[in-house]
Amino acid sequence: MSAYTYDVVVRGGTVATASDVFVADIGIRDGKIVQLGLDLMPGRREVDASGRVVTPGGVDAHCHLDQPSPPPVRMADDFDSGTLSAVCGGTTTVIPFAAQQKGASLEAAVQDYHQRADGKAHVDYAFHLIVSDPTDTVLTNELPDLIQRGYTSFKVYMTYDDLKLDDGQILDVLDIAKRHGAIAMVHAENSDCIEWLTKRLEASGMTAPRFHAHSRPMLVEREATHRAMALSELIDVPILIVHVSGREAIEQIRWGRAHGLNIFAETCPQYLFLTAEDLGIDDSYVGAKCVCSPPPRDKANQQVIWDGLKDGLFTVFSSDHAPYKFDGSEGKHPNGQQVAFRHIPNGIPGIETRMALLYSEGVLSGRISLEKFVELTATGPAKTYGLHPRKGAICIGADADLVIWDERDLVITNSALHHQVDYTPYEGMKLKAWPGCTLLRGELMWDGKSFVGPRHGGQFLPAGRPSILPRAARDTSPAHPHSLSTKPLEFP
Ligand code: URP
Ligand code: ZN
Ligand code: ZN
């Protein structure tokens, strides 16, 4: 029996949750928060947080780690480097994607992804699924079984040849989500429009990175967002639109919500801090570093995203960390070759900078409240993906995943980050804060300067039923009133 009541006491911090900010000591035992109060008994280890803000460890609900890509392209971060980078930036839970290959089973993707993660992760992790081939077996056997086993979210793509589903296939997947209590995430861009525009641009020799943005204007995102919402309405199941980039998709989501649709939305740092100009204002190739989909828009759209973060449009703020090197043979500039924009791997790194960017430019610049920061970076994603209240919360019984913030001036440089990518899109950006301390299940992982935690102790988290879903899996009422004049059809 230990002489101490607590293994760790985080003492005197200003504790922020998604609903309240208050001064308290946090008592931790066996990796869990067991007490919140003032003047707690001494812990075996004391962490002084007085005068500093304490938030839940971040939950990065959209990141890509060691996700297989067609050779020679390869992600620079695996579970080791990606989760090291995450925890040094204040993220203690990640949810990357087990991606089905067309023609292969979903189960095979999950088994393969576990092998990639097992014994490598430094933070806790759940998996989303990517459904790219919804065969009868996948729909009837694999998905229901996987949902039961703790994989309760899946992403469907409306674009990318090797991943995209047609509308009928998306309806099939949404139907399974409804029947079995899962949440579908939708990458909403109109594939045919992108292909048509891309061919036109290529025929005119417009292949530099900046034309990536021209091939994916906001209308392709707007149309697909509206269509995804219509599909969700037909099945009467909530969906979440991922990586929303700007005004036009947001207008659709606001319209859908005003008409009673259950639409959730995610955005990412690139839509707050980058614009299409970062892809290049001339034909220079360095803009390849910021090629991602949907592309960053313009300054006016950044403000529209800030508004959505503040007013509840967004439930989740994720990194969409998609780590491809610029130099080398496996990334964006393969062996020094300037490839046409269609061949530049899509995605940018950001798993380590996500939390500090939003804390500094959101909270400390007065754009969002501390509670909203916690909701967007931790509580919202944990609730959305069935990990709450174990994750994303500071309450009795939750895992003691905590960030203690250092409010100080700093400049982002890639050399200070821990990912394996050879650049950050935010190089040179001035911030006003960085995590001074990150705890995972009560263990000190990051002390503001170095990774100091136990290595590779990340645990797999089977996800529960997303708490944003209606209570009963087969709940069909009330019907959305505006266009479905009768209750949704019930099929056996
Ligand atoms: O460009 C992006 N966003 N790459 C990552 C894959 C995805 O669609 O999220
Ligand atoms: Zn996507
Ligand atoms: Zn992504």
Side-chain angles (χ1 to χ4, degrees):
M1 174 85 182
S2 163
Y4 293 99
T5 312
Y6 307 109
D7 299 328
V8 185
V9 173
V10 176
R11 197 167 292 280
T14 300
V15 176
T17 72
S19 58
D20 300 290
V21 178
F22 52 93
V23 173
D25 304 333
I26 303 173
I28 300 167
R29 198 169 53 230
D30 297 332
K32 302 264 183 209
I33 296 172
V34 293
Q35 191 60 279
L36 286 166
L38 295 175
D39 302 322
L40 296 191
M41 301 284 283
R44 187 162 44 80
R45 175 171 195 163
E46 291 275 319
V47 179
D48 179 17
S50 50
R52 295 195 287 169
V53 169
V54 183
T55 62
V59 178
D60 192 345
H62 185 159
C63 53
H64 303 269
L65 302 176
D66 202 10
Q67 190 177 311
S69 313
V73 174
R74 203 167 70 91
M75 286 194 168
D77 282 318
D78 60 8
F79 276 82
D80 185 346
S81 61
T83 59
L84 177 73
S85 185
V87 79
C88 298
T91 288
T92 48
T93 300
V94 295
I95 319 182
F97 296 84
Q100 182 193 20
Q101 310 291 315
K102 278 195 200 295
S105 83
L106 201 46
E107 185 66 46
V110 171
Q111 294 315 322
D112 171 68
Y113 213 46
H114 272 295
Q115 282 184 9
R116 291 168 189 261
D118 280 359
K120 278 193 154 184
H122 303 287
V123 303
D124 293 348
Y125 56 97
F127 291 166
H128 302 297
L129 309 174
I130 291 176
V131 183
S132 66
D133 198 359
T135 59
D136 281 350
T137 312
V138 166
L139 294 168
T140 319
N141 301 327
E142 290 196 341
L143 263 178
D145 184 50
L146 285 162
I147 294 168
Q148 187 73 27
R149 284 159 44 203
Y151 308 87
T152 58
S153 50
F154 24 84
K155 183 171 177 189
V156 294
Y157 284 80
M158 300 171 92
T159 188
Y160 297 137
D161 286 344
D162 50 343
L163 296 171
K164 73 180 177 196
L165 305 187
D166 64 30
D167 292 354
Q169 291 174 311
I170 294 175
L171 286 169
D172 283 341
V173 174
L174 294 185
D175 186 44
I176 298 298
K178 176 170 171 93
R179 285 165 189 267
H180 296 274
I183 180 80
M185 311 154 75
V186 184
H187 179 129
E189 289 185 296
N190 179 312
S191 182
D192 286 353
C193 290
I194 294 168
E195 183 57 24
W196 189 88
L197 285 164
T198 300
K199 283 189 177 142
R200 280 274 170 123
L201 289 160
E202 287 173 341
S204 309
M206 296 168 164
T207 59
R210 70 187 166 109
F211 293 109
H212 174 78
H214 296 254
S215 74
R216 303 173 108 100
M218 281 208 281
L219 81 86
V220 308
E221 188 186 6
R222 181 227 302 162
E223 185 281 329
T225 300
H226 188 93
R227 185 156 36 100
M229 294 195 312
L231 302 179
S232 120
E233 181 183 5
L234 192 57
I235 301 294
D236 191 28
V237 67
I239 55 168
L240 181 139
I241 309 287
V242 290
H243 43 50
V244 171
S245 74
R247 181 176 56 81
E248 298 202 17
I250 285 180
E251 283 171 356
Q252 295 304 309
I253 295 165
R254 291 199 194 284
W255 176 90
R257 290 209 186 149
H259 288 81
L261 303 184
N262 233 333
I263 308 299
F264 296 88
E266 171 206 74
T267 194
C268 316
Q270 46 271 39
Y271 307 115
L272 290 175
F273 302 109
L274 302 179
T275 69
E277 290 196 353
D278 290 300
L279 276 68
I281 43 176
D282 54 22
D283 285 356
S284 113
Y285 194 75
V286 71
K289 291 180 177 177
C290 294
V291 164
C292 61
S293 296
R297 307 299 182 183
D298 60 15
K299 285 263 173 220
N301 277 282
Q302 294 179 348
Q303 185 54 47
V304 177
I305 299 283
W306 279 116
D307 294 344
L309 288 171
K310 188 170 178 176
D311 71 16
L313 182 99
F314 292 111
T315 314
V316 181
F317 184 75
S318 310
S319 69
D320 195 6
H321 180 77
Y324 299 106
K325 282 188 180 165
F326 184 70
D327 288 323
S329 58
E330 299 170 338
K332 290 184 179 255
H333 192 202
N335 301 315
Q337 252 184 288
Q338 300 197 355
V339 297
F341 71 80
R342 98 150 65 222
H343 301 297
I344 299 171
N346 277 210
I348 61 176
I351 204 165
E352 192 164 345
T353 42
R354 172 187 75 118
M355 297 278 285
L357 281 168
L358 195 65
Y359 190 92
S360 178
E361 300 312 296
V363 179
L364 297 182
S365 299
R367 293 182 171 107
I368 58 169
S369 68
L370 200 43
E371 293 93 325
K372 183 56 87 177
F373 169 83
V374 172
E375 179 188 326
L376 289 162
T377 57
T379 315
K383 285 186 172 174
T384 302
Y385 299 116
L387 301 177
H388 189 267
R390 177 170 172 191
K391 297 296 184 185
I394 298 181
C395 64
I396 290 171
D399 280 0
D401 299 347
L402 302 168
V403 176
I404 305 174
W405 287 89
D406 274 354
E407 296 184 10
R408 62 181 168 90
D409 292 335
L410 68 128
V411 176
I412 297 180
T413 58
N414 198 53
S415 57
L417 301 179
H418 298 78
H419 60 194
Q420 290 295 309
V421 186
D422 52 359
Y423 73 95
T424 166
Y426 310 110
E427 185 76 36
M429 197 170 154
K430 293 186 176 131
L431 293 187
K432 299 191 261 296
W434 194 265
C437 194
T438 308
L439 281 80
L440 171 70
R441 285 181 268 105
E443 295 271 8
L444 184 63
M445 305 294 285
W446 163 253
D447 68 0
K449 294 193 184 77
S450 313
F451 177 81
V452 293
R455 297 181 63 77
H456 307 133
Q459 297 177 358
F460 176 68
L461 305 163
R465 182 182 169 83
S467 38
I468 56 172
L469 295 178
R471 273 186 188 275
R474 285 180 161 274
D475 184 3
T476 53
S477 62
H480 301 310
H482 78 101
S483 62
L484 291 176
S485 51
T486 57
K487 274 177 65 137
L489 292 173
E490 287 258 34
F491 297 101

